[in-house]
Amino acid sequence: MTGRRIVSISLPRLAIESWLSRAARRGDAWPEQIPLALAAPGPHGPVIHAANRAAERAGARIGARAVDSRAICPALRIEPAEPDRDAARLARLAFWARRWGPFSTPDGDDGLILDTTGAAHWGGGEAAPLAL
């Protein structure tokens, strides 16, 4: 008997990529070289929920207070995070992923878990999707 095949997928940029996608659709495309962070309520004021690469290079860190991040990088643009929209997008993605197995579910704020038991032969075997 073979064991179960479980795939865990991490999408650490889901929130910022979702925000950037919505901004582009609104006609407000944001250049990748300009620091951008999304903030969510925290115990002592807004905290960084997501950041683009420019913001990360400038010192913005997930979980850091937004005011501290702006002190490190005065050019940092901070927009409100939309965790409910991100969770809904992740849930839709998990539902869509059921095409590759009998079960899939969101895992935290930025991950998916898929049961791919019996589907390892699709798309060239297990090694093919891992090489992407």
Side-chain angles (χ1 to χ4, degrees):
M1 181 166 116
T2 61
R4 303 206 62 80
R5 302 287 186 174
I6 305 296
V7 176
S8 176
I9 301 172
S10 175
L11 303 165
R13 297 199 169 278
L14 179 68
I16 194 72
E17 288 176 358
S18 294
W19 188 93
L20 290 168
S21 175
R22 288 190 298 274
R25 283 194 304 272
R26 289 190 309 264
D28 184 25
W30 190 256
E32 180 61 34
Q33 68 273 18
I34 299 176
L36 170 70
L38 305 179
H44 302 289
V47 296
I48 303 297
H49 175 73
N52 68 359
R53 286 183 176 87
E56 290 172 351
R57 283 191 298 272
R61 299 289 176 257
I62 306 301
R65 291 184 339 146
V67 67
D68 296 337
S69 297
R70 177 144 312 131
I72 293 169
C73 177
L76 180 65
R77 177 176 168 182
I78 299 177
E79 293 289 328
E82 299 175 296
D84 292 341
R85 281 183 105 164
D86 297 335
R89 180 173 234 175
L90 190 61
R92 287 190 308 274
L93 186 58
F95 183 77
W96 175 80
R98 289 187 182 158
R99 64 181 50 201
W100 287 289
F103 176 79
S104 62
T105 188
D107 183 26
D109 293 335
D110 61 359
L112 295 173
I113 295 177
L114 287 73
D115 180 346
T116 60
T117 305
H121 62 284
W122 291 2
E126 288 179 339
L130 295 175
L132 294 177

